Amino acid sequence: MADYYEQKDLADFAHIGEYAPELGKKYFDYYGEALKDGALSAREKALIALAVATTQHCPYCIDAYTNQCLSLGVSQEEMMEAVHVGSAMVAGIVLAHSTQMRKIIKKKEM
Amino acid sequence: MDEPRIHPSFEQKMAAPLKAEGIDTFQINLGYRCNLECRHCHVEAGPNRRELLSRAVMEMCLQVLQCHPIPTIDITGGTPEMHPDFPWFLEECAALDRRILVRTNGVILLEGPYTPFLNLYAKHRVEVVVSFPHVDMKMTNRQRGEGVYSRLIEAVRMLNARGYGQPGSGLILNLVHNPSGAYLPGLQNSLENHYRQALKEKHGIVFNQLFCITNMPIGRYLTFLKKTENYEEYMTALVNAFNPATLESVMCKYSLSVGWDGKLYDCDFNQMLGMTVNHGAPEHIEMFDLNSLANRRIVTGNHCYGCTAGAGSSCRGEIA
């Protein structure tokens, strides 16, 4: 995996608009708007982003949002609780899909 | 260990040399004595430090201030209260009728011989700036020493009781946030809201403004960065976050720093690095000359990335 994910590549995120600058700009404008202080604080949004980063297994985002949370004064306990929310959601999503399995079992069994 | 090269250097990054545009703030470092030994301290202050501003240099500072209408006197250390001549010096500064700021570690105000400063500050309407790195007890204690957080809360309570930080009192109490590790501070506005809410709810204490100050890769903080192998990553983060808009308002353009030995510096950070003012400006208070100092070329180095990263950093927090 080391060849695919390198910490220094996080800095390359600023260049993802290469080859499609207009779309890149639209994305960054949207990203900036979505993450800034609003009805939810930047702090709360950073915690949501951290939970998403871990559930989506993105090492760049985990690096970026762990740092962002630290910068915004989020405590270790708050960060770990956010990760547990993501973890519980993923577990719940997996278990919710057992509905299909249970429906099929019930239909097929004699 | 070899010093990793910073690329580009701060000098390379600048379009033109940085120049001062007057002196609004006269910052005086009374010495490096402090009753704490905080892990982020760029001064490496502590109870065993012997460097203290002499009475003669204090008199020279007062003379300069008498002769020139510099509006703000900014007193720092160490923690200024531990200088034996500070009460006298403060009275003399107050007589000059300028805006006076004192940067204190806060907890010293609870120590027996230093408690009178609480009333002295209020009497002279000194703006008090208290180091308060985090609203999380564990983080603050790890950075500043066991038990510091609860003593800080008590000190702020005592300042609040004298009117400090209370709406309408005119007594200003500002807090300083420094990151508790190898990362940059977040946006001042977000952190200030968080501090205000957390401190009010948890402890019933109030303050005016929060200043977010980036930790400089100097002194004890530099030692921490190197020991934990964070130096390179931290410097890369600073270089990547360079924001040219901060160059308009970096504090060195409008202030002058006086060291404990009377030497003159562009800022307190240059003071710790022994980089006196240069490029033809006088380097000691004895030779103070407002004209040449007010337009001096600033002495810069790679540590200057600390004041120019992101929203910037100064003794009064964000600048851009």
Side-chain angles (χ1 to χ4, degrees), chain A residues 14-109:
Chain A
H15 307 127
I16 55 162
E18 194 178 8
Y19 307 135
E22 284 177 25
L23 289 173
K25 183 181 180 311
K26 283 184 174 161
Y27 166 73
F28 277 118
D29 287 348
Y30 168 63
Y31 179 78
E33 280 296 310
L35 271 294
K36 75 178 191 189
D37 263 323
L40 292 177
S41 66
R43 204 171 173 277
E44 289 162 330
K45 288 180 179 183
L47 275 167
I48 294 169
L50 178 65
V52 173
T54 49
T55 60
Q56 298 304 302
H57 310 158
C58 174
Y60 304 128
C61 311
I62 293 170
D63 186 345
Y65 281 95
T66 302
N67 274 289
Q68 176 74 341
C69 284
L70 287 168
S71 292
L72 289 168
V74 177
S75 70
Q76 298 145 358
E77 290 79 8
E78 288 171 310
M79 280 189 251
M80 200 60 206
E81 279 192 23
V83 171
H84 275 291
V85 170
S87 168
M89 283 300 294
V90 171
I93 290 164
V94 170
L95 292 172
H97 281 78
S98 74
T99 303
Q100 307 304 324
M101 175 195 76
R102 284 182 289 108
K103 270 161 58 179
I104 294 166
I105 292 170
K106 281 176 184 134
K107 186 175 175 225
K108 299 238 164 167
E109 71 186 357

Side-chain angles (χ1 to χ4, degrees), chain A residues 7 11 37 41-43 63 67-68 70-78, chain B residues 134 136 138-139 142 177 182-187 189-191 194 233 240:
Chain A
Q7 192 190 22
D37 263 323
S41 66
R43 204 171 173 277
D63 186 345
N67 274 289
Q68 176 74 341
L70 287 168
S71 292
L72 289 168
V74 177
S75 70
Q76 298 145 358
E77 290 79 8
E78 288 171 310
Chain B
H134 213 290
D136 184 292
K138 192 172 56 192
M139 301 287 271
R142 232 174 40 201
H177 163 83
Y183 51 90
L184 307 186
L187 286 176
N189 190 37
S190 294
L191 277 160
H194 176 55
E233 194 183 326
N240 289 342

Side-chain angles (χ1 to χ4, degrees), chain B residues 146-162:
Chain B
E146 207 44 56
V148 166
Y149 182 82
S150 49
R151 282 149 67 203
L152 260 183
I153 298 296
E154 187 52 27
V156 173
R157 238 181 229 135
M158 294 177 92
L159 286 162
N160 282 170
R162 283 158 178 80

Side-chain angles (χ1 to χ4, degrees), chain B residues 11-240:
Chain B
E11 278 69 25
Q12 288 168 328
K13 196 85 176 175
M14 303 277 292
L18 202 56
K19 282 197 77 180
E21 293 180 12
I23 301 174
D24 293 344
T25 301
F26 194 76
Q27 188 174 64
I28 307 161
N29 191 315
L30 293 196
Y32 306 158
R33 194 174 287 172
C34 188
N35 61 334
L36 301 180
E37 289 181 290
C38 302
R39 293 174 69 191
H40 67 289
C41 184
H42 69 278
V43 177
E44 301 191 71
N48 299 320
R49 296 298 298 254
R50 296 279 168 256
E51 300 89 340
L52 287 175
L53 198 75
S54 68
R55 185 89 168 206
V57 174
M58 283 179 160
E59 277 163 1
M60 283 183 225
C61 288
L62 293 167
Q63 202 179 354
V64 164
L65 288 162
Q66 271 156 8
C67 296
H68 305 285
I70 300 170
T72 302
I73 306 171
D74 184 338
I75 301 171
T76 186
T79 201
E81 296 86 351
M82 291 185 83
H83 192 300
D85 289 333
F86 182 43
W88 165 79
F89 187 62
L90 188 61
E91 296 279 356
E92 294 292 317
C93 287
L96 295 170
D97 196 23
R98 312 286 166 88
R99 174 169 169 239
I100 304 173
L101 270 79
V102 172
R103 298 176 187 278
T104 172
N105 72 22
V107 301
I108 191 81
L109 301 171
L110 303 180
E111 303 284 325
Y114 305 106
T115 52
F117 280 105
L118 285 161
N119 290 334
L120 199 59
Y121 290 158
K123 177 182 155 198
H124 295 303
R125 308 192 76 72
V126 167
E127 287 186 31
V128 177
V129 184
V130 175
S131 171
F132 205 120
H134 213 290
V135 292
D136 184 292
M137 177 165 75
K138 192 172 56 192
M139 301 287 271
T140 292
N141 286 349
R142 232 174 40 201
Q143 189 166 341
R144 305 193 65 200
E146 207 44 56
V148 166
Y149 182 82
S150 49
R151 282 149 67 203
L152 260 183
I153 298 296
E154 187 52 27
V156 173
R157 238 181 229 135
M158 294 177 92
L159 286 162
N160 282 170
R162 283 158 178 80
Y164 271 103
Q166 306 284 6
S169 72
L171 290 172
I172 305 295
L173 169 63
N174 294 323
L175 304 183
V176 172
H177 163 83
N178 283 92
S180 308
Y183 51 90
L184 307 186
L187 286 176
Q188 190 160 285
N189 190 37
S190 294
L191 277 160
E192 186 177 281
N193 288 340
H194 176 55
Y195 265 62
R196 208 176 292 290
Q197 192 182 349
L199 293 180
K200 180 84 185 159
E201 277 175 14
K202 284 200 276 187
H203 308 291
I205 57 176
V206 291
F207 63 96
N208 294 97
Q209 274 183 283
L210 180 75
F211 299 152
C212 291
I213 300 189
T214 302
N215 287 323
M216 291 293 139
I218 294 174
R220 232 171 253 148
Y221 187 70
L222 176 64
T223 307
F224 154 76
L225 288 176
K226 288 190 170 168
K227 221 184 211 170
T228 54
E229 296 181 2
N230 276 305
Y231 178 73
E232 212 165 341
E233 194 183 326
Y234 188 75
M235 289 308 295
T236 303
L238 288 181
V239 173
N240 289 342

